[in-house]
Amino acid sequence: MLTILFDGVAYGMLLFILAVGLAVTMGLMNFINLAHGAFAMAGGYITVLLMQRMGVPFLVCLPLAFLGAALMGALLERTLYRPMYNKPHLDQVLFSIGLVFMAVASVDYFLGSSQQNIHLPVWLKGRTEIGSDPFMLGMGHYRLFIIAVCAALTVALQYVLTKTRFGSRLRASVDDQRVAAGLGINVNLVFLSTFAVGSGLAGLGGALGAEVLGLDPTFPLKFMVYFLIVVAVGGTSSITGPLLAALLLGIADVAGKYYIPKLGAFIVYSLMIAILIWRPQGLFVRKAGK
Amino acid sequence: MKRRQFTAAALAAATFAAALPALAQDNTFKIGLILPMTGQQASTGRQIEAAARLYMAQNGDTVAGKKIQLIVKDDTSLPDTTRRLAQELVVNDKVNVLAGFGITPSALATAPIATQSKTPLVVMAAATSSITEASPYIVRTSFTLPQVSVALADWAPKNGIKKVVSLVSDYGPGIDAEKFFKDRLIFNGGQVTEALRVPMRNPDFAPFLQKVRDSKPDALFVFVPSGAGAAVMKQFLERGLDKAGIKLIATGDVTDDDQLNDMGDGALGVVSSHHYSAAHPSATNKKFVEAFGKANKGMRPNFMAVGGYDGMRVIYEALRTAKTTGKATPSGDALLAAMKGQIFESPRGPIFIDAQTRDVVQNVYLRKVERKDGQLYNVEFDVIKDVKDPGKTR
């Protein structure tokens, strides 16, 4: 029982880190980026390749996965994404889904289509169990690690967005680009760095998730639906919305598969439909907005 | 008058031109090999193609005066593509035999083409029991899931495993494995307390394995397609199912030779049942593994490779022995008749193509993952001889 809750939280946290970048680009920059999962996949593959081919330790790989994906995000933002900001949403969707297919095909071509395996360090492999049977809580160390990392990142993100100068610049640029630019804010730079950080977080999520979710070239397609559910249910106006949505989704998914395995895959979608009928704007949306 | 002559000449020329390729064709024997060379199942295609080419390199490309030509097509595991490619191969390239077929739906989609064109179709990979019933022209050299699942259900109760939870991927072969394992285990006095089906696109095995742990069976029986095996094994250990006294038993797809080394020490001790292991202790197999590695940069052949290798052997032998008039290429029916009932020593052990069902009859081995010379192998420790596909005995 408690174990299921714990697994659900870990899964939800992972989904949150993977999807938060998407929430930021969609909510703040008003851009629908379906290729978000491709950056997550990039992070995953960076980790796998570094560990397998060069023997880099796991903990060093994580920041590298973040940096690699962020760099890629920055590069693509500058070259491909920026001209798309003012296009209609349909163009954006078609453009980014095209990117996904290209990413899937090229990873398949260069690295093969098989599942990649990560060998975790020994200290992350164990499991701690507390309490006795009906209320036993079994915690995999790796899942504990995921929760800790993701919680730290959430706090940091929330702080940056609400308390720092960069955060207010970002919000200003989103609200009205022209006025923000008139006030001397370099809007392009703000968007560039936001996009890069969002991609980097996805990359980190991909690296952390490779062990739990698996990693193969179809990763961006497999998880696109989950990202979109998180964003749709959570709303895009804050960090807490997607966080709670991801946790809800994670717990519902894990518990559903445990208690009603026959319906396993449906639970998440039914939940989403119910929530969206009840609150079409998403669960945690503030009034007003744009 | 003139015009009539011209027409006659043109007609004669046309007939001659039409006859030319037919003449040229008499000396080639074409095998259309349709495999997933890209996409999720690409490793299947890679293994089978390498094995087919190895067989040709070892046995020459001329059989009974015919030059063998191998035409490889990539169907990316999409059944409609498989069907289209098969049609092109039969109509345009006029292939004598169709072969390959990585997944069950591909083989089923192509079956009507084999029937209509009377072209023998050699299934080298797909393993759902019912495939050979889809067309009287289908011959299989791989294996069937009931075949290997039943062997495991025979072994388990003799080794103190009575209560089992099964966990399979929710598609054709998975349901075959679940059903036949369960029936045989009950027959042998065991019981399946829970039958879990995992969606094909399942991101996380954790909740399913937690459920297994809480229901405390003697063992967990697993079938998942080869790529997903590593994830199951890892989470099996992470969840401490081994410490809770639950054994992991599986079909050999889970401990696929192609990926076993990447799975790490977590795979050690897993018991599986299958028809082929790269560590099979026979002279034929040692030679096969060595030659396969030499030709493919040290790649290890898996059960897909052996299916392809034996498939080529069946085709070669059929061409050699098929009844035919003079030097003409034997017809599809003659080839089919010559494929039925072949008995030979394969790298996996002795095998036999059952003339009635056109399915393969073979030994099924019980293996345990062990470390040998620094590498992980499925080491065979028991054998159930001459297993016929139980899906056909009804």
Side-chain angles (χ1 to χ4, degrees), chain B residues 34-157:
Chain B
I34 310 180
L35 293 168
M37 301 301 294
T38 52
Q40 289 237 295
Q41 310 290 328
S43 86
T44 303
R46 222 176 24 158
Q47 287 270 357
I48 293 182
E49 191 196 352
R53 297 220 183 272
L54 175 67
Y55 190 87
M56 289 177 70
Q58 287 177 338
N59 294 278
D61 57 359
T62 315
V63 181
K66 305 270 182 295
K67 185 131 175 82
I68 306 280
Q69 189 188 349
L70 194 65
I71 307 174
V72 180
K73 299 271 181 188
D74 176 16
D75 68 355
T76 65
S77 292
L78 296 175
D80 51 331
T81 314
T82 319
R83 192 189 160 99
R84 179 174 54 77
L85 290 172
Q87 194 146 11
E88 284 171 15
L89 283 169
V90 167
V91 174
N92 298 342
D93 296 313
K94 308 222 169 359
V95 294
N96 301 88
V97 175
L98 288 166
F101 306 97
I103 58 168
T104 299
S106 295
L108 291 179
T110 317
I113 292 180
T115 313
Q116 283 159 26
S117 64
K118 299 192 172 23
T119 309
L121 188 161
V122 180
V123 175
M124 294 171 166
T128 305
S129 169
S130 63
I131 289 175
T132 47
E133 285 159 357
S135 160
Y137 286 87
I138 293 182
V139 171
R140 172 155 41 201
T141 59
S142 51
F143 71 110
T144 76
L145 270 160
Q147 217 170 28
V148 295
S149 314
V150 162
L152 204 54
D154 279 338
W155 174 81

Side-chain angles (χ1 to χ4, degrees), chain B residues 277-299:
Chain B
S277 157
H280 179 62
S282 79
T284 319
N285 184 49
K286 278 206 183 84
K287 243 170 48 196
F288 171 64
V289 173
E290 201 184 294
F292 191 90
K294 206 176 272 171
N296 300 288
K297 297 182 209 147
M299 188 159 87

Side-chain angles (χ1 to χ4, degrees), chain B residues 25-351:
Chain B
Q25 215 176 42
D26 266 351
N27 272 324
T28 52
F29 183 87
K30 293 184 183 172
I31 302 172
L33 190 61
I34 310 180
L35 293 168
M37 301 301 294
T38 52
Q40 289 237 295
Q41 310 290 328
S43 86
T44 303
R46 222 176 24 158
Q47 287 270 357
I48 293 182
E49 191 196 352
R53 297 220 183 272
L54 175 67
Y55 190 87
M56 289 177 70
Q58 287 177 338
N59 294 278
D61 57 359
T62 315
V63 181
K66 305 270 182 295
K67 185 131 175 82
I68 306 280
Q69 189 188 349
L70 194 65
I71 307 174
V72 180
K73 299 271 181 188
D74 176 16
D75 68 355
T76 65
S77 292
L78 296 175
D80 51 331
T81 314
T82 319
R83 192 189 160 99
R84 179 174 54 77
L85 290 172
Q87 194 146 11
E88 284 171 15
L89 283 169
V90 167
V91 174
N92 298 342
D93 296 313
K94 308 222 169 359
V95 294
N96 301 88
V97 175
L98 288 166
F101 306 97
I103 58 168
T104 299
S106 295
L108 291 179
T110 317
I113 292 180
T115 313
Q116 283 159 26
S117 64
K118 299 192 172 23
T119 309
L121 188 161
V122 180
V123 175
M124 294 171 166
T128 305
S129 169
S130 63
I131 289 175
T132 47
E133 285 159 357
S135 160
Y137 286 87
I138 293 182
V139 171
R140 172 155 41 201
T141 59
S142 51
F143 71 110
T144 76
L145 270 160
Q147 217 170 28
V148 295
S149 314
V150 162
L152 204 54
D154 279 338
W155 174 81
K158 287 183 217 145
N159 290 273
I161 296 172
K162 296 270 182 213
K163 261 177 67 187
V164 180
V165 172
S166 68
L167 185 146
V168 301
S169 281
D170 195 359
Y171 75 129
I175 291 162
D176 260 8
E178 177 190 296
K179 181 176 176 304
F180 284 92
F181 179 81
K182 184 176 178 176
D183 289 353
R184 183 60 69 99
L185 193 70
I186 291 171
F187 177 76
N188 287 330
Q191 62 181 92
V192 172
T193 49
E194 192 124 32
L196 302 171
R197 290 182 187 172
V198 187
M200 279 293 272
R201 298 183 138 217
N202 180 62
D204 192 0
F205 287 103
F208 295 103
L209 289 174
Q210 185 64 37
K211 195 165 181 72
V212 173
R213 185 179 169 154
D214 293 349
S215 66
K216 299 196 180 72
D218 298 328
L220 169 67
F221 168 71
V222 179
F223 163 78
V224 289
S226 64
V232 176
M233 237 173 285
K234 255 186 204 172
Q235 298 201 2
F236 184 88
L237 294 176
E238 190 206 314
R239 232 134 258 282
L241 270 75
D242 54 335
K243 292 194 194 78
I246 302 169
K247 290 200 182 80
L248 181 61
I249 55 179
T251 62
D253 311 72
V254 175
T255 54
D256 184 352
D257 270 311
D258 200 26
Q259 307 195 356
L260 189 57
N261 259 327
D262 287 340
M263 293 179 191
D265 289 349
L268 283 173
V270 174
V271 172
S272 61
S273 68
H274 227 206
H275 56 290
Y276 178 68
S277 157
H280 179 62
S282 79
T284 319
N285 184 49
K286 278 206 183 84
K287 243 170 48 196
F288 171 64
V289 173
E290 201 184 294
F292 191 90
K294 206 176 272 171
N296 300 288
K297 297 182 209 147
M299 188 159 87
R300 195 198 285 186
N302 70 354
F303 60 101
M304 295 298 184
V306 87
Y309 191 78
D310 290 345
M312 288 303 280
R313 198 264 179 206
V314 165
I315 297 170
Y316 264 53
E317 204 53 35
L319 178 57
R320 198 167 287 141
T321 57
K323 285 198 189 70
T324 170
T325 45
K327 287 202 160 178
T329 309
S331 68
D333 286 302
L335 284 171
L336 186 73
M339 286 178 184
K340 290 179 186 170
Q342 286 192 22
I343 302 178
F344 59 98
E345 169 81 15
S346 143
R348 62 184 114 169
I351 70 168

